[in-house]
Amino acid sequence: EPEVTQTPSHQVTQMGQEVILRCVPISNHLYFYWYRQILGQKVEFLVSFYNNEISEKSEIFDDQFSVERPDGSNFTLKIRSTKLEDSAMYFCASSRGQVNTEAFFGQGTRLTVV
Amino acid sequence: AQTVTQSQPEMSVQEAETVTLSCTYDTSENNYYLFWYKQPPSRQMILVIRQEAYKQQNATENRFSVNFQKAAKSFSLKISDSQLGDTAMYFCAFMGAWGAQKLVFGQGTRLTINP
């Protein structure tokens, strides 16, 4: 069964460093998303991506964040200069269509900023 | 902006019992979608059940069913004949039918099924 895969499963980085979280969406999906979940809190939407551009982003997704689909299969989230409060689980998701289609989630990357 | 509220942080029942998880939401939209996602210890978010707001009939998937009350903006999940594998975090989520196709999640309910 096709699935969304995320690497690494856990990343530890020093404050101020850049990190890139990687995701391989399901191959025939066209819509891609990043969500994050700070420990003990709700899952929050960060950004959606379609046709090689951002279709929507939340206020959390500031200039420190960027997304890219560099090679037609990977979908990356870059945090340019990490802060302690960026520590969270980051989930990638993809869907075939825009409405009334299931979003499939990856297993998440736990980012710890020290 | 839409909000989703799950008022039960934790619940615990015995295996084979029926359990109901509650969820309320707030929106000014008339058409939208509601979801229940399960997050087991493996951390992956798995879709359990989905309801379209324009459908009056409550969705059912095997042991999982919902009680969708549109006027009350309530969307509860009922798990019948609960199994040990149902132990997980359960998230209620909302998605509007127009514009941004993003999920708005509740805080989650940690459900434990005891043997």
Side-chain angles (χ1 to χ4, degrees):
Chain A
E1 186 175 326
E3 59 181 19
V4 176
T5 56
Q6 290 185 243
T7 54
S9 57
H10 189 192
Q11 171 121 23
V12 181
T13 189
Q14 289 205 319
M15 192 169 54
Q17 295 294 305
E18 173 185 286
V19 294
I20 297 176
L21 309 183
R22 302 181 192 280
C23 168
V24 179
I26 294 173
S27 62
N28 63 346
H29 285 189
L30 301 176
Y31 295 83
F32 314 113
Y33 314 86
W34 283 101
Y35 291 81
R36 80 170 185 191
Q37 184 182 26
I38 295 172
L39 185 64
Q41 297 186 23
K42 62 173 70 177
V43 179
E44 302 170 289
F45 169 79
L46 290 179
V47 65
S48 59
F49 191 86
Y50 168 71
N51 200 26
N52 282 320
E53 61 182 27
I54 290 173
S55 48
E56 175 153 357
K57 59 184 180 180
S58 70
E59 57 260 23
I60 303 168
F61 195 88
D62 61 22
D63 292 343
Q64 297 287 6
F65 292 88
S66 62
V67 289
E68 196 176 34
R69 191 156 159 79
D71 55 14
S73 61
N74 289 285
F75 178 52
T76 62
L77 174 69
K78 182 193 291 186
I79 309 174
R80 196 179 352 266
S81 177
T82 50
K83 303 187 282 281
L84 294 177
E85 54 264 38
D86 293 327
S87 294
M89 281 288 292
Y90 288 82
F91 291 100
C92 174
S94 68
S95 65
R96 198 161 28 88
Q98 193 175 19
V99 296
N100 200 21
T101 57
E102 180 180 347
F104 289 81
F105 284 78
Q107 288 187 299
T109 293
R110 181 173 297 283
L111 176 66
T112 303
V113 183
V114 296
Chain B
Q2 292 87 4
T3 59
V4 178
T5 302
Q6 294 177 248
S7 58
Q8 304 152 311
E10 292 189 32
M11 294 190 73
S12 178
V13 297
Q14 295 299 118
E15 192 176 7
E17 288 183 347
T18 294
V19 59
T20 299
L21 310 182
S22 61
C23 172
T24 58
Y25 58 94
D26 189 27
T27 183
S28 57
E29 298 184 36
N30 192 44
N31 291 324
Y32 47 87
Y33 302 92
L34 295 163
F35 306 84
W36 278 98
Y37 278 87
K38 170 184 178 181
Q39 187 182 40
S42 66
R43 305 180 305 186
Q44 190 162 11
M45 300 280 282
I46 302 165
L47 179 66
V48 174
I49 199 165
R50 173 176 61 199
Q51 174 81 40
E52 291 91 348
Y54 59 84
K55 289 186 178 177
Q56 291 187 330
Q57 188 171 9
N58 289 323
T60 298
E61 287 286 341
N62 300 314
R63 297 183 295 108
F64 299 87
S65 61
V66 299
N67 183 5
F68 173 49
Q69 302 289 326
K70 191 173 184 180
K73 294 180 181 172
S74 168
F75 182 61
S76 61
L77 174 70
K78 185 170 85 170
I79 306 174
S80 304
D81 186 25
S82 57
Q83 301 174 357
L84 297 179
D86 295 333
T87 293
M89 281 289 289
Y90 285 82
F91 292 95
C92 178
F94 170 101
M95 184 171 75
W98 304 103
Q101 300 310 310
K102 64 182 184 185
L103 291 162
V104 178
F105 286 89
Q107 304 94 318
T109 296
R110 183 175 301 281
L111 175 65
T112 302
I113 309 299
N114 298 307

